[in-house]
Amino acid sequence: MNIQDVHSYVCGQWIGSDSTAREIHSAVTGELIARAGASHLDVGAMLEYAQTKGGPALRKMSFHDRARMLKALALHLGQHKQALYDASFATGATQRDHMIDVDGGIGTVLVIASKGRREMPNDTIYLDGPVERLSRQGTFLGQHVCTSLTGVAVHINAFNFPVWGMLEKLAPTLLAGMPAIVKPATATCYVTELCVRIMLDSGLLSEGAVQLVSGNLGPILDHLGGQDVVSFTGSAATARKLRSAPCILDNATRFVAEQDSLNASVLGPDAVPGTPEFDLFIKEVQREMTAKAGQKCTAIRRIMVPEAHIDAVSDALRDRLSSVVIGNPADEKTQMGALVSQAQRRDVLEKAALIGQEAERIFGDPDDFTVHGADADKGAFVPPMLFRCNTPDAAQTLHAVEAFGPVSTVMPYRDLDHAIELANKGEGSLVASVITHDPEVARQFVIGAGAFHGRLYLNNRDSMKESTGHGSPLPHMVHGGPGRAGGGEELGGIRGVMHYMQRTAVQGSPDLLTRIGKKWVPGATEARDRAHPFTRTFHELEVGETLVTDPREISLDDIETFAHFTGDTFYAHIDEAAASRNPFFPGRVAHGYLLLSFAAGLFVQPDEGPVLANTGLDNLRFLKPVQAGDSIRVHLTVMQKTPRNQDYGEVRWHVSIRNQEDDLTAEYELLTMNAYAQPDPAG
Ligand code: NDP
């Protein structure tokens, strides 16, 4: 059989393994299939290449450029999925498992890319939060900004997700403008290598954005500094060793860790046998135990059920687990493949034996089970193993030792507080779930257990058809957990990008902050000498340009007409005596929505032009009542411009409505879509 030489990609070159390479065996047949690792990688050159080529090329691109690159990359990978599936069977994974790893990885990149385009500016500076007013007159303000770190992100990944594990870290890193050195776990690095080859062959990645180390990482961590980031997924023992490296400690190098996690799933007190929740719970637990043969950092390790129903749950789980077909992952009928390696099999059996000291195994005998289409002795197969512990308060191991395979323990709880106490005994996990239809149970669980878990997954009859599964980290939501789970956090939309950027508090005048963030700040200069902004194309408009309208007096008749036309006859607008008794109003006042409508009437230029649509309004505040006899006038200022597609972009306008005294009566941000070109009447 052909033994693959898994390469590393270093300073723009593919480099093969050498005599120090480690051997990789098929999880299914036990055959030697690949070698990976080279001792002669020049780590200094790799870091310099990333810092001098990768970083600068990425930082020249705006967030939107990087997001477009990621989207194209994901679409390209989507065209090569089959090759990734084919390579992945030897890791022991089934086609269903590939969907989690390969399709899940590609989907994650697409979501991060889309969020980058929608939630980040077309710029290289990201504004974090609102402007802070630091002075009485508003001439000195504060704004938090985020800029790309100038070092390199070193990603050390676990064996269980060779594609998703790389992409879920890579997408936020590249969007942040940071180059990465990816170090996959050796056991499955041949799949990651293929994925990197596909990405590089596309020609879509900017130079130096990604390097790959297959096999041993070498001494890279000894050369990292304060601008670098290590993002690690794996065991707590390795995390401890790596994060305490002197160089990491001395330079306060950021270290993000996802490690062991004793995830819990709780059957709600209301979810008695016969309810849809009970059946849902059994399905979720079985799926989480057997997907990826339990080699998921988010798999359910501890199953907590009301003591009255522990027999029913145990029986139902045994029943479902007994129908799981274990075998050759390439066979379509197989529901659970092999563990990744014989070493992992030994590890899982050792850990299961430890759990067996505190709990009784009620399903799955590793010495007696059927493997279909593969040799049970040569492949790294184990059966699903379900344990039952009737005394979970006294137990230690099953709350602390993670058997990284299809191993889980069912245990009884007395009441919800007890369930929370047991769930929290894991001392920090990536996810805990509660299957309940009772909103009060959900709330009490979130209050009692939130601090111990990175994600809480709640499911019931209302959400089960569309729910994404206890074990699926989603790019929109944070993935990570406190304590034993590593104290790290990844993903969570744009939050995940921030691990690779520096947040800086910037203080200065409105004009300086406007220029820095390319977003107009109240108090900054208003350019008032331009043509009406509705006549100017997206590209012609400049941040800060302002239209100040003529005044318009509000009459009692206006208020009456508006009230009866819209049906908004709220007493404060039509009943003088009642309005006067209201502490907020001096008497009858104009409707806030009347002010908005009249404001539009004042600032709109009605002719066909580049403004295509009004798409929304943010941060509306009514600040001072307007009465009949007052007059209002509007300042309409271009606040921010964000390209949306090849034809138009979004303009955020700052709108302030002032009365005859120049007092602010209302303020908001208006969103419009504006064309890049003037309309063509002939077209
Ligand atoms: P390891 O901690 O052994 O390895 C994780 C990664 O770290 C691999 O890429 C590994 O590379 C690398 N690594 C190991 N030692 C070093 C070192 N000295 N310097 C640099 N890199 C190093 O975990 P495994 O992947 O073997 O998984 C073991 C256990 O980790 C599982 O049984 C499970 O308990 C836990 N785990 C937790 C996950 C989570 O997200 N919570 C996910 C996956 C695993 P190499 O493969 O080359 O040794």
Side-chain angles (χ1 to χ4, degrees), residues 221-243:
L221 300 192
D222 299 335
H223 298 268
L224 299 185
Q227 288 292 308
D228 302 313
V229 181
V230 179
S231 182
F232 171 84
T233 304
S235 65
T238 309
R240 191 181 315 114
K241 185 162 130 194
L242 301 184
R243 76 180 345 151

Side-chain angles (χ1 to χ4, degrees), residues 377-452:
D377 294 327
K378 293 189 174 151
F381 295 98
V382 291
M385 285 172 264
L386 182 66
F387 288 81
R388 172 170 170 167
C389 174
N390 290 328
T391 52
D393 296 307
Q396 305 271 323
T397 311
L398 61 85
H399 299 296
V401 171
E402 185 184 26
F404 206 65
V407 182
S408 202
T409 306
V410 60
M411 59 195 80
Y413 71 79
R414 292 183 298 277
D415 52 25
L416 189 60
D417 285 345
H418 188 213
I420 291 169
E421 197 186 310
L422 291 176
N424 295 352
K425 259 173 150 332
E427 297 293 344
S429 80
L430 297 172
V431 53
S433 55
V434 189
I435 307 301
T436 180
H437 197 233
D438 182 342
E440 199 45 38
V441 168
R443 179 175 158 81
Q444 290 311 321
F445 195 84
V446 170
I447 292 171
F452 286 78

Side-chain angles (χ1 to χ4, degrees), residues 587-607:
R588 284 178 77 175
V589 293
H591 306 66
Y593 303 118
L594 175 150
L595 298 181
L596 296 192
S597 304
F598 281 10
L602 288 168
F603 67 65
V604 155
Q605 210 282 353
D607 300 336

Side-chain angles (χ1 to χ4, degrees), residues 22 156-159 183 185-186 233-235 238 259 297 402 404:
R22 284 156 63 187
I156 303 174
N157 296 332
F159 65 79
K183 153 50 190 142
T186 303
T233 304
S235 65
T238 309
Q259 52 192 50
C297 49
E402 185 184 26
F404 206 65

Side-chain angles (χ1 to χ4, degrees), residues 93 113 115 131 134 152 166 171 247 300 397 421 446 449 478 487 543 623:
K115 285 193 160 282
V131 168
L134 305 177
V152 58
M166 168 172 67
C247 190
I300 296 170
T397 311
E421 197 186 310
V446 170
V478 293
V543 168
L623 300 157

